[in-house]
Amino acid sequence: MSAPMREGSRLDDLKPALAGAPAQPVIATERFTLRPLRASDAGMIAHYTADRRVAEGTRAIPHPLPRGGSDSFVARALAADRTEDVWAIDGSDHKLAELLGVVSLTRMENEQSELGFWIGAGFWNTGFATEAVAALVAANPHGARTLFAEAFQDNPGSARVLTNCGFVYLGDAESWSVARGARVPTWTYLRKMA
């Protein structure tokens, strides 16, 4: 979410680009719907990621989030040439918030994808992350034969989400966290899909 928007780019300008974008399915769960992002999500994304704890739980979200950062993130998520599909965790059909967090899949080579997710801090320890990840894994919209994911070692809750969804521990590594400005030890997980 740290890349600035290109000069002249606006969320309103995306309609022509979306015509050639690969379709993202809408996935229903018991308590919410996973749906593609829309321009109106940018404000809540900025609100949730302004919480240092949310930003520091990810590799790519800076803290503080620069002006226009969430708009740029949504624009990239809607671009026709994207490699990452991002779903809003939308609880509005079940009397919950319209945006609870996001879950994503990034295409890799050889029919593999990397899964990522974050939940707004007010919704931690509700099972929303596990439900969202489980639904995305079950739908397997990329048709991946293998999914990868990682969790920072100081975030065992995210590791539990992954193991609860059938991911198995692969090994230790480290990843750069933009919000922390440092390399952070991680646990790497994989899930074979077929």
Side-chain angles (χ1 to χ4, degrees):
M1 291 181 48
S2 59
M5 289 189 67
R6 290 171 287 149
E7 187 175 332
S9 68
R10 295 187 353 232
L11 291 173
D12 297 339
D13 297 334
L14 289 174
K15 287 183 183 173
L18 291 176
Q24 263 183 258
V26 173
I27 303 165
T29 76
E30 185 177 318
R31 298 185 289 171
F32 49 76
T33 301
L34 302 180
R35 60 159 173 80
L37 290 184
R38 51 187 177 225
S40 62
D41 293 325
M44 288 308 297
I45 289 170
H47 173 72
Y48 291 142
T49 59
D51 186 320
R52 178 180 293 277
R53 298 169 301 168
V54 173
E56 288 183 349
T58 72
R59 291 184 302 204
I61 300 173
H63 190 275
L65 188 67
R67 184 178 176 95
S70 61
D71 290 326
S72 181
F73 173 71
V74 172
R76 284 192 313 276
L78 296 175
D81 62 347
R82 69 184 180 270
T83 58
E84 178 183 34
D85 288 329
V86 182
W87 286 264
I89 303 170
D90 183 337
S92 60
D93 288 342
H94 299 278
K95 298 182 182 176
L96 296 167
E98 185 174 351
L99 186 77
L100 304 165
V102 302
V103 62
S104 67
L105 287 174
T106 303
R107 287 177 179 80
M108 301 168 68
E109 58 188 29
N110 298 322
E111 299 175 357
Q112 300 178 102
S113 293
E114 182 178 20
L115 180 133
F117 62 92
W118 60 261
I119 300 291
F123 307 110
W124 290 353
N125 300 312
T126 60
F128 290 160
T130 299
E131 189 172 337
V133 169
L136 196 57
V137 166
N140 193 12
H142 286 182
R145 61 181 178 79
T146 306
L147 295 177
F148 292 93
E150 69 180 4
F152 289 140
Q153 290 183 11
D154 60 2
N155 186 356
S158 286
R160 275 191 304 280
V161 167
L162 296 171
T163 57
N164 287 342
C165 293
F167 284 77
V168 296
Y169 172 75
L170 190 60
D172 289 4
E174 58 181 28
S175 286
W176 182 260
S177 167
V178 174
R180 300 179 195 209
R183 291 200 166 279
V184 181
T186 62
W187 294 306
T188 304
Y189 293 87
L190 99 104
R191 163 112 191 218
K192 294 193 180 206
M193 297 300 291

